[in-house]
Amino acid sequence: MPALITPTTRLHTAWLQAHAEWGPGPHEDGFGLRPSDEVDAPAGFADWVARLTAESDEASGAPCAYRWIVEGDSVLGGIALRHEFDDHARWAGHIGFGIRPSARGHGYAGWALGRMLGEAAKLGMNRVLIVCAVDNIASAKTIERHGGVLEGIRETPLGPARRYWISVE
């Protein structure tokens, strides 16, 4: 049974295994990984996890909630809920998710998206924007199954993307 957990240094090796499946490039949405993050070494990984934890601290008015999708000691993917509609969320969306290639096709993205929509409702968000690459049919179907309504396609820093709005109840 999968679980959504806050990022943890305990899963450094498991996270690196998931990361290796993607290969290089900006396609691991949901993890909050920046090009400057040094995640290979334990100290750099701990710094990155500390940043994600600080950005997820609701008590301090956190801008984002990062969660890892795990099963046992395997990291299957990540999902992030951006609380504000700032410049980043305007092009990347309120929710971003990614599933490692070997875990795709098992419903993990839809399962995690459903839970994060519940979190958005608890925060009082009325609707959320979710964006995916135009050629990412699996993500588009996942978003549509959760009530996503296509606003259109726009250019983003990562290329053209579909923009969906989901009403949160």
Side-chain angles (χ1 to χ4, degrees):
M1 185 76 174
L4 281 184
I5 66 166
T6 57
T8 176
T9 56
R10 180 181 65 79
L11 293 174
H12 184 204
T13 300
W15 188 88
L16 286 175
Q17 290 168 348
H19 180 63
E21 277 191 34
W22 267 287
H27 43 245
E28 294 165 286
D29 201 10
F31 282 114
L33 187 62
R34 297 177 183 160
S36 60
D37 290 320
E38 297 289 336
V39 294
D40 291 333
F45 190 81
D47 289 345
W48 174 60
V49 167
R51 178 178 61 80
L52 297 181
T53 301
E55 290 179 11
S56 298
D57 181 14
E58 291 181 33
S60 66
C64 190
Y66 294 99
R67 301 290 181 267
W68 290 354
I69 306 161
V70 300
E71 193 160 42
D73 284 334
S74 293
V75 176
L76 305 174
I79 189 163
L81 170 61
R82 299 169 189 102
H83 302 164
E84 303 295 327
F85 198 50
D86 59 12
D87 289 340
H88 183 72
R90 279 180 175 59
W91 72 265
H94 288 104
I95 297 176
F97 57 87
I99 304 296
R100 72 190 285 175
S102 65
R104 293 178 185 158
H106 300 282
Y108 296 121
W111 173 85
L113 178 56
R115 273 135 190 88
M116 288 307 257
L117 290 170
E119 291 299 314
K122 288 179 190 174
L123 291 170
M125 300 172 80
N126 296 329
R127 65 185 195 144
V128 295
L129 174 66
I130 305 182
V131 176
C132 69
V134 291
D135 61 350
N136 190 339
I137 303 305
S139 286
K141 287 181 179 180
T142 296
I143 296 164
E144 290 168 359
R145 277 193 299 274
H146 279 82
V149 176
L150 183 65
E151 172 194 87
I153 296 172
R154 288 196 195 165
E155 195 62 37
T156 74
L158 300 177
R162 299 170 189 250
R163 296 171 53 86
Y164 290 91
W165 287 96
I166 297 179
S167 294
V168 178
E169 301 172 21

